[in-house]
Amino acid sequence: MYRTALRNVLAHKGRLLMTALAVMLGTAFVAGTMVFSDTFGKAMRDSNSKSYSDVAVQVVDNSAGATASAREKSEKSPATLTDATVQQLAALPGAASARGVVSGFTGVADKDGTLIGQAWSAKGGNFAPGPDGKDTRYPMVEGQGPKTAKEIALDRKTADKAGYKVGDTVRVGSNGPVVEAKLTGVFTTDDPVVSTGGTLTLFDRATAQQLLLEPGRYSGIVLTAKPGTAQDALLSQVDEKLKPGQQIEVRTGEQLKAEEERMITSGTEGMRMMLLSFAAISLFVGIFIIANTFTMLVAQRTKELALLRAIGASRKQVTRSVLVEALAIGTVSALAGLVAGVGIGAGMQSLIASLGDGMPTGSLVIKPLTVVVTLVVGVLVTVLSALMPAMRASRIAPVAAMSSGDQPASQKSLVVRNVIGSLLAAGGIALAAFGAAKGNSDGWVPVAIGAVLALLGVFILLPLLSRPVIALVGPVLGRLFGTPGKLARQNAVRNPRRTAATAAALTIGMTLVTGLTVIGASVSDTLDKAVTSSMKADFLVSAANGMSLSDKVPGEIAKAPGVTASSPLTTVYWELNGTSKAITGLNADTFDKLVSVELKSGSVAAVGKGQLLVDEDVAKKFGVTTGSTMNVTFPDETTGALTVGGVYTKAGLLGPVMLANSEIVKHEPQPYLNNVLVKGADGESDSLKQALKSATGANPVIEIKSKQDVRDDFSQMITFALNMMYGLLAMSVIVAVLGVINTLAMSVFERKREIGMLRAIGLDRGGIKRMVRLESMVISVFGAGIGVLLGAFMAWAINGTLKSNLQGLTTVLPFGQLLVFLVLAGLVGLVAAFWPARRASKLDILASIKTD
């Protein structure tokens, strides 16, 4: 029996090719993911291992980057790191040296005035030379370190990227004024900011403190240990000296390195799980192909299997023979997938290195676990997928099946199948709808379980659905394509189970693609309305990295030519009725010119009277209405009461509570400055944008955005996320296409006599090709159509659980995109049918008619 099984594998190489490819692609995705994540993780760890090579103990002031109010609180304790602190720590018995570190955001402009790199990876620091005039952290390869306020040094990668040479004038900016300085040096460094593609700018110590913190203050202190002094021992000395608390954090270099490695491991594991989930989808799609292939092979070999039973083979032997075939295919395919996966891992590593400048690279890491998992997954998926067809093969009667071809399913089995499918689908839809009705995260579990049940139910019902749905297009096919069209429809519904198994692979992919598309369109539409519907202003001025703008910016903008109204948009966190709430500040005199709020009660004039405006969620939570009073605890620890002057519909840009800036600065002189809203005399114009750019000193880190720019930012983020998901789902779509090709090719082999008869009675080769292609297109569009409907429903249910986080979220169906998906599904079917149709048209008429 085993020899027979292996002989069958070799005899049906062509028919099993697509099945082997499906398994290979799925396992290659698994292997590639594991190789890439292991390689990337090791490269990241190797790159960051150098970051703390010269650190025995590091002291960090966590309040160094805080807002003004937080700094005021921290200044009440002796926690601030100063030159005196550096000297105290340098004098510790176990310390060889101590150096103060200044660190903060600093963007560098290229020669066109555009920010180099991304704002979140732009850093500035202090050059701290020793007695020899050199800073071992930043060895200069050209020139020398900065010594005055008008001098800077840049890392080698940044200087090369912008084409800067020593002696050039460079514009750098933070959230404060722009600095034009002479480039005195170019250095190399293993700082993670630079090694991951960021920029690093060095100032002299006094300038760095002035620009990034405040005079005389450090954001951290790094200590090196004397020979023979352990890091933990030095840590104990520092703890005893500083008595660190909430603001001051002290850790050893080993602790910092271990934490860095934990973060890297956590990040790579998260990436690995996400990629493996998409690999699982591809393998799940492959299950349908494998099961369908073996079902058709069993049907085609009915006489052969019946003969084996007649000469003494037991049911177990027949089952095992089919499973041995699957085992052989799974093993070979998994081995090929492992080899392909190593190539995919190498390709992904190269792609990341090319897309992300400075991303760490290293030699490929192929762990034994990767090999084992790939092989086990490939073999198990193949064997388990073939289990049901193998059991079906064992039930073929020795005599009754001798003259039978395809064994139709019994009426009882179809009834049971349809009942089970209906119950699962109905239960899943009801459960998902119940979860969506909750309107918050409490509905996630019911929606997830309901989606899975509904998906399984629809899969089970696909044979039942195929007949009426495909019958709808029958008249159209007949009128447009004549006899080939009629035959294509009949072939598509002749074997509903086969049609369903073929369509199911596309249904899975289209369900996920449609769900993602509808969710993306819905969230994008909601965010667009939330942000821009409340914005009357022509432009929004903000820092590129999301940091607070300098308090000098609003004044400079107000004086810019063409500006008729402007207001800083500030944020503070005060306690209202005992609960910390974000409060947005605007200027009362320009409020109604710059923003629009939909009031439920009260008046916007209340802002000018020093009263609060609260959104409906806050009003409901605290039980307040217009005229109510709310108790307030201010940052300066004083208390008071503020009157609610109005209740408005929730608006994303404006936050949950609004108050006049004039009232905010009474208790918090330097609130967090998010944006500046600007209205021009002639509306939005290029001249006004240029005037605002000039007013901010052409600072490379300050962005000036119109309403459309704000929309585009949200749209780009969502589009990027969707494109990444589409790319990951592409593998499952490719596997689904292989399934269509495989099914059609085997169907052509199975229908050789029928095709020969059609040729004999006058259907030409072109008609045969059209028949097979139309059949493929009908099955593909059927599967895709069910997937579109199912995906739209799932997106609606998921949107229901997001309503508490995204006020006003409604499900938006992008009909144009969904129609494109269906058209692409038809094209997929057309392409998939190319080889089977060509093969069918070339069958010899007489040889086909004589087929047993």
Side-chain angles (χ1 to χ4, degrees):
M1 292 299 294
Y2 294 132
R3 284 197 298 269
T4 300
L6 294 176
R7 185 209 65 192
N8 286 328
V9 172
L10 296 175
H12 302 127
K13 293 189 293 292
R15 280 179 270 175
L16 294 171
L17 176 62
M18 298 303 165
T19 300
L21 283 175
V23 178
M24 188 200 76
L25 288 175
T27 52
F29 204 161
V30 172
T33 293
M34 298 183 74
V35 169
F36 169 67
S37 57
D38 290 337
T39 302
F40 186 70
K42 183 178 183 299
M44 287 286 289
R45 285 189 290 272
D46 291 345
S47 174
N48 285 275
S49 64
K50 304 174 184 177
S51 304
Y52 304 105
S53 57
D54 62 340
V55 178
V57 172
Q58 179 173 280
V59 182
V60 177
D61 182 357
N62 290 323
S63 68
T67 60
S69 61
R71 289 181 186 173
E72 288 173 5
K73 291 180 181 179
S74 65
E75 286 165 3
K76 295 179 182 179
S77 63
T80 303
L81 304 179
T82 63
D83 286 321
T85 316
V86 174
Q87 294 169 7
Q88 289 174 352
L89 297 181
L92 291 174
S97 65
R99 69 172 184 269
V101 176
V102 180
S103 180
F105 168 72
T106 302
V108 183
D110 61 18
K111 293 182 178 180
D112 295 326
T114 304
L115 179 69
I116 300 174
Q118 300 296 322
W120 53 268
S121 61
K123 179 183 172 183
N126 62 312
F127 181 70
D132 59 355
K134 297 180 181 180
D135 188 335
T136 55
R137 297 174 300 163
Y138 310 113
M140 295 291 162
V141 292
E142 294 180 32
Q144 61 183 13
K147 297 179 180 179
T148 69
K150 290 297 183 180
E151 295 179 348
I152 64 165
L154 290 176
D155 68 270
R156 185 57 169 276
K157 291 182 178 180
T158 301
D160 289 347
K161 192 181 295 184
Y164 284 130
K165 304 294 182 184
V166 172
D168 289 349
T169 299
V170 181
R171 293 173 62 82
V172 296
S174 58
N175 63 336
V178 176
V179 174
E180 290 192 351
K182 179 182 178 182
L183 181 63
T184 62
V186 177
F187 59 89
T188 59
T189 178
D190 55 14
D191 190 300
V193 170
V194 176
S195 63
T196 54
T199 62
L200 179 59
T201 307
L202 296 182
F203 306 91
D204 69 282
R205 176 184 56 80
T207 304
Q209 290 176 330
Q210 178 70 37
L211 290 176
L212 306 179
L213 292 173
E214 55 191 66
R217 188 176 185 186
Y218 295 101
S219 53
I221 299 174
V222 172
L223 289 83
T224 56
K226 289 180 178 178
T229 302
Q231 292 187 359
D232 289 338
L234 183 56
L235 177 70
S236 298
Q237 295 175 21
V238 175
D239 284 343
E240 185 177 349
K241 190 72 175 178
L242 290 184
K243 305 280 191 297
Q246 183 178 2
Q247 300 299 334
I248 296 296
E249 188 175 18
V250 183
R251 281 187 285 182
T252 65
E254 290 297 330
Q255 289 173 336
L256 292 168
K257 184 178 177 180
E259 182 181 352
E260 193 87 19
E261 289 190 355
R262 281 195 298 271
M263 292 174 63
I264 292 170
T265 300
S266 175
T268 53
E269 281 300 316
M271 176 182 63
R272 182 202 293 257
M273 293 308 297
M274 182 189 73
L275 292 174
L276 284 177
S277 65
F278 284 93
I281 293 170
S282 298
L283 287 169
F284 185 61
V285 172
I287 288 173
F288 290 91
I289 298 173
I290 299 165
N292 201 25
T293 300
F294 276 94
T295 298
M296 295 178 72
L297 281 175
V298 167
Q300 291 171 13
R301 287 158 46 196
T302 297
K303 292 183 178 181
E304 174 190 332
L305 295 171
L307 180 59
L308 289 173
R309 289 295 314 282
I311 62 176
S314 66
R315 285 189 172 187
K316 288 184 178 179
Q317 286 179 311
V318 172
T319 301
R320 282 198 295 266
S321 70
V322 176
L323 293 180
V324 166
E325 291 182 49
L327 178 64
I329 295 168
T331 303
V332 173
S333 302
L335 285 171
L338 177 61
V339 174
V342 173
I344 290 173
M348 292 174 70
Q349 180 73 356
S350 300
L351 179 63
I352 290 293
S354 64
L355 293 179
D357 182 37
M359 294 300 284
T361 57
S363 57
L364 283 181
V365 178
I366 306 172
K367 294 183 177 179
L369 179 64
T370 300
V371 177
V372 172
V373 168
T374 303
L375 295 179
V376 169
V377 166
V379 171
L380 276 180
V381 166
T382 309
V383 172
L384 292 177
S385 301
L387 183 59
M388 287 301 293
M391 294 174 64
R392 195 174 296 123
S394 70
R395 297 193 187 105
I396 296 176
V399 177
M402 291 293 287
S403 60
S404 175
D406 195 358
Q407 298 297 304
S410 67
Q411 187 66 28
K412 179 181 178 182
S413 67
L414 289 176
V415 170
V416 171
R417 176 180 181 137
N418 293 337
V419 169
I420 293 174
S422 299
L423 290 175
L424 286 175
I429 291 172
L431 191 58
F434 169 75
K438 286 184 172 293
N440 54 42
S441 58
D442 292 340
W444 288 352
V445 173
V447 166
I449 296 174
V452 172
L453 292 177
L455 191 62
L456 290 175
V458 169
F459 284 165
I460 294 172
L461 289 173
L462 280 178
L464 177 66
L465 296 172
S466 64
R467 288 184 180 276
V469 173
I470 295 177
L472 293 175
V473 300
V476 177
L477 291 176
R479 281 196 295 270
L480 293 178
F481 302 101
T483 299
K486 293 178 182 178
L487 292 172
R489 185 197 67 80
Q490 291 172 2
N491 289 335
V493 298
R494 177 189 300 176
N495 192 326
R497 289 194 177 193
R498 182 187 303 162
T499 297
T502 307
L506 283 170
T507 299
I508 297 170
M510 198 57 65
T511 296
L512 296 172
V513 168
T514 300
L516 289 171
T517 302
V518 173
I519 292 172
S522 303
V523 171
S524 180
D525 179 72
T526 301
L527 290 176
D528 179 28
K529 290 178 180 177
V531 173
T532 59
S533 63
S534 58
M535 180 178 164
K536 285 185 180 179
D538 297 315
F539 289 101
L540 189 72
V541 181
S542 59
N545 64 338
M547 288 181 62
S548 176
L549 289 166
S550 167
D551 56 7
K552 297 182 177 63
V553 171
E556 297 299 327
I557 286 176
K559 294 184 291 186
V563 174
T564 57
S566 66
S567 170
L569 200 65
T570 61
T571 300
V572 293
Y573 288 85
W574 294 352
E575 285 192 6
L576 296 178
N577 286 358
T579 301
S580 178
K581 296 296 294 184
I583 299 177
T584 301
L586 296 99
N587 289 351
D589 57 339
T590 57
F591 184 93
D592 57 347
K593 298 177 183 177
L594 299 172
V595 297
S596 173
V597 292
E598 184 181 340
L599 286 170
K600 310 282 283 186
S601 63
S603 168
V604 295
V607 176
K609 301 175 184 177
Q611 296 179 348
L612 294 170
L613 293 182
V614 300
D615 70 21
E616 51 194 341
D617 288 352
V618 172
K620 182 179 179 181
K621 178 179 179 180
F622 292 99
V624 296
T625 58
T626 300
S628 299
T629 300
M630 300 189 76
N631 297 320
V632 187
T633 301
F634 301 108
D636 54 12
E637 298 183 359
T638 61
T639 59
L642 290 173
T643 301
V644 176
V647 178
Y648 59 92
T649 302
K650 193 172 182 179
L653 177 67
L654 302 177
V657 182
M658 288 185 282
L659 185 64
N661 279 321
S662 56
E663 293 296 317
I664 288 176
V665 296
K666 291 179 182 178
H667 302 280
E668 194 158 350
Q670 290 185 308
Y672 191 91
L673 179 52
N674 305 294
N675 309 286
V676 179
L677 297 173
V678 181
K679 188 76 173 176
D682 300 322
E684 179 188 328
S685 64
D686 291 338
S687 59
L688 177 59
K689 186 172 185 177
Q690 185 57 49
L692 296 175
K693 190 71 175 175
S694 300
T696 56
N699 193 324
V701 303
I702 291 182
E703 296 180 332
I704 300 167
K705 299 178 183 178
S706 64
K707 271 189 179 183
Q708 189 58 48
D709 293 332
V710 175
R711 290 190 183 100
D712 290 343
D713 281 350
F714 284 114
S715 176
Q716 286 173 2
M717 287 188 291
I718 293 172
T719 300
F720 174 78
L722 287 176
N723 287 340
M724 183 176 68
M725 295 295 182
Y726 292 156
L728 293 171
L729 286 171
M731 186 69 77
S732 61
V733 174
I734 292 173
V735 173
V737 172
L738 293 177
V740 177
I741 296 173
N742 203 31
T743 301
L744 287 174
M746 296 184 73
S747 177
V748 166
F749 179 84
E750 194 176 70
R751 299 187 336 237
K752 285 174 66 176
R753 176 179 291 176
E754 172 191 323
I755 293 172
M757 291 295 294
L758 289 172
R759 290 293 314 282
I761 63 175
L763 191 62
D764 60 10
R765 288 186 173 183
I768 295 293
K769 287 182 180 179
R770 283 195 297 275
M771 177 187 73
V772 177
R773 289 169 182 167
L774 289 171
E775 179 184 350
S776 176
M777 289 178 63
V778 166
I779 294 174
S780 298
V781 174
F782 164 67
I786 297 297
V788 166
L789 294 175
L790 197 55
F793 169 75
M794 289 183 179
W796 170 82
I798 292 171
N799 283 342
T801 66
L802 300 175
K803 285 185 177 179
S804 61
N805 297 319
L806 288 173
Q807 188 74 17
L809 177 64
T810 57
T811 299
V812 175
L813 295 176
F815 291 104
Q817 285 180 270
L818 299 183
L819 182 60
V820 169
F821 292 159
L822 293 176
V823 172
L824 289 176
L827 290 175
V828 163
L830 186 63
V831 172
F834 179 80
W835 177 59
R838 181 181 174 85
R839 183 181 177 187
S841 68
K842 289 188 174 183
L843 290 176
D844 182 83
I845 298 176
L846 294 178
S848 299
I849 293 174
K850 290 193 300 181
T851 300
D852 290 333

